[in-house]
């Protein structure tokens, strides 16, 4: 295994056993400049260390987790739920 592949595998989240946690598809904006692509993804409730990005087989993958924030608290109004986010983007031939 090459060093590049090892680094890619280290960023890729480990497969977890199926659970009842919902998986959300986050909204995204993608823009291109002369020297970069910019990706803005709406993943409320996540921390930077809970967001994983990796490239594999011509696709950019995102996986992120949002853990429960309201455990033991009385609900008044909650619109955000705990769960995971997942989204993939096909990369062009020139990348």
């Amino acid at each position: 295994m090459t060093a590049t592949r090892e680094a890619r595998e280290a960023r890729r989240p480990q497969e977890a056993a199926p659970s009842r946690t919902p998986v959300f598809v986050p909204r995204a904006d993608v823009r291109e400049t002369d020297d970069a692509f910019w990706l803005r993804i709406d993943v409320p409730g996540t921390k930077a260390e809970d967001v994983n990005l990796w490239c594999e087989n011509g696709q950019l993958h995102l996986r992120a987790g949002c853990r429960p924030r309201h455990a033991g608290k009385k609900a008044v109004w909650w619109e955000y739920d705990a769960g995971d986010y997942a989204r993939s983007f096909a990369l062009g031939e020139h990348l």
Side-chain angles (χ1 to χ4, degrees), residues 69-86:
R69 297 174 283 189
H70 310 299
K73 298 177 184 172
K74 183 179 177 185
V76 175
W77 188 274
W78 292 341
E79 292 186 352
Y80 291 99
D81 198 4
D84 293 326
Y85 296 96

Side-chain angles (χ1 to χ4, degrees), residues 4-51:
T4 304
R5 186 172 178 197
E6 288 173 352
R8 192 171 51 233
E9 290 295 321
R11 286 190 304 269
R12 182 178 179 187
Q14 299 299 313
E15 295 296 323
S19 71
R20 294 180 188 257
T21 302
V23 177
F24 305 104
V25 178
R27 292 178 181 239
D29 293 333
V30 181
R31 69 180 171 97
E32 181 179 5
T33 64
D34 290 337
D35 61 346
F37 283 93
W38 292 87
L39 181 64
R40 180 181 208 145
I41 298 181
D42 187 20
V43 287
T46 62
K47 295 179 180 178
E49 60 267 15
D50 295 331
V51 176

Side-chain angles (χ1 to χ4, degrees), residues 8 35 38 50 53 59 61 66 71 83 89 91:
R8 192 171 51 233
D35 61 346
W38 292 87
D50 295 331
L53 286 169
Q59 300 233 340
H61 301 280
C66 176
F89 302 89
L91 301 174

